[in-house]
Amino acid sequence: MGFQETFRALSDPIRREILMMLRGKKMSAGEIASKFEVTGATVSYHLSLLKKADLVLETRQKNFIYYELNASVLEEIMLWLSQFGGKNDET
Amino acid sequence: MGFQETFRALSDPIRREILMMLRGKKMSAGEIASKFEVTGATVSYHLSLLKKADLVLETRQKNFIYYELNASVLEEIMLWLSQFGGKNDET
DNA sequence: ATGCTGTTTAGACAAACATCTAATTACACC
DNA sequence: GGTGTAATTAGATGTTTGTCTAAACAGCAT
């Protein structure tokens, strides 16, 4: 919890890419890792940060670990951002 | 430009606080710095990052430098965030 | 030109980050 | 119990970050 962790998590391109992949469907760690050039260990590290920031949820099944998006935190961020003029409020 | 810089800029509590201070009114660098415990040099460093991320604009006047909010980049961020379910789209 | 005030830049440094390789854990299946 | 596959954790390493002190720059006033 906390904006610090959330924004930091969102600051890395790999992590943003992971979140985008996760729109709609769950994916296993290996499946996610296969989409990147970096090692599986590195992707695992990124997943752990996303998990710590509460941006993804994990569920175990067989010996796979599936990740899915948790959009609720992103909505909090949107809410926070909306305090800055939001859009065209004062036409 | 780029989400990397923007999110990174938003990840620091001091920088978020500065942005909130700047809602509505311009403030000089010294005025901003006086609100924090850290040195003026440190605040200057944070301001430079905010400026680089295009989140603030500066205007010089006398020997003061005034900063003001530039909300447009924040709106881009909101737009990017809205791809993640936005709200309660699929009731 | 000299000095004063506001602000930034330079240099140093500890802490945090992203990445790798190697080792370890966690399950399932034979 | 042993083997194999999926994934994480540990340890090492180079880079980036946030902070400080001290120095430099920019204007204005004298």
Side-chain angles (χ1 to χ4, degrees):
Chain A
M1 269 178 261
F3 289 115
Q4 176 117 356
E5 264 172 335
T6 309
F7 280 123
R8 194 167 281 284
L10 289 171
S11 74
D12 187 274
I14 290 187
R15 293 194 289 265
R16 285 198 305 278
E17 186 89 25
I18 291 174
L19 292 179
M20 288 197 283
M21 283 178 185
L22 256 29
R23 284 173 312 184
K25 63 175 174 302
K26 292 185 188 181
M27 292 173 76
S28 71
E31 202 179 347
I32 294 168
S34 72
K35 309 287 186 180
F36 297 97
E37 295 295 297
V38 297
T39 66
T42 296
V43 172
S44 184
Y45 162 74
H46 286 302
L47 285 169
S48 78
L49 289 193
L50 288 172
K51 194 169 35 174
K52 198 178 300 180
D54 228 28
L55 286 165
V56 300
L57 304 172
E58 70 171 36
T59 55
R60 292 162 180 268
Q61 203 172 135
K62 227 195 140 173
N63 49 345
F64 290 82
I65 302 180
Y66 289 96
Y67 286 90
E68 69 186 297
L69 191 64
N70 177 20
S72 67
V73 179
L74 294 175
E75 289 182 25
E76 286 178 44
I77 295 295
M78 288 239 273
L79 207 63
W80 185 82
L81 287 172
S82 70
Q83 73 183 136
F84 298 99
K87 204 113 198 175
N88 42 358
D89 218 10
E90 42 193 323
T91 316
Chain B
M1 271 178 257
F3 290 116
Q4 176 117 357
E5 262 172 334
T6 309
F7 281 123
R8 194 167 280 284
L10 290 171
S11 75
D12 187 275
I14 289 187
R15 292 194 289 266
R16 285 197 305 280
E17 186 89 25
I18 290 174
L19 292 179
M20 289 195 284
M21 282 178 186
L22 256 27
R23 285 173 312 185
K25 62 176 173 300
K26 294 186 189 181
M27 291 173 77
S28 72
E31 202 178 347
I32 294 169
S34 72
K35 308 288 186 179
F36 297 97
E37 295 295 296
V38 297
T39 66
T42 296
V43 172
S44 184
Y45 161 74
H46 287 302
L47 285 169
S48 77
L49 289 193
L50 288 171
K51 194 170 33 172
K52 199 178 301 180
D54 228 29
L55 286 165
V56 301
L57 303 173
E58 69 171 38
T59 56
R60 293 162 179 269
Q61 205 172 132
K62 226 192 143 179
N63 49 346
F64 291 80
I65 302 181
Y66 289 96
Y67 287 90
E68 69 187 295
L69 190 62
N70 178 20
S72 66
V73 178
L74 294 174
E75 290 184 24
E76 286 177 44
I77 294 295
M78 288 238 273
L79 207 62
W80 183 83
L81 287 172
S82 69
Q83 74 183 133
F84 298 99
K87 205 105 195 180
N88 41 357
D89 218 11
E90 43 193 322
T91 316

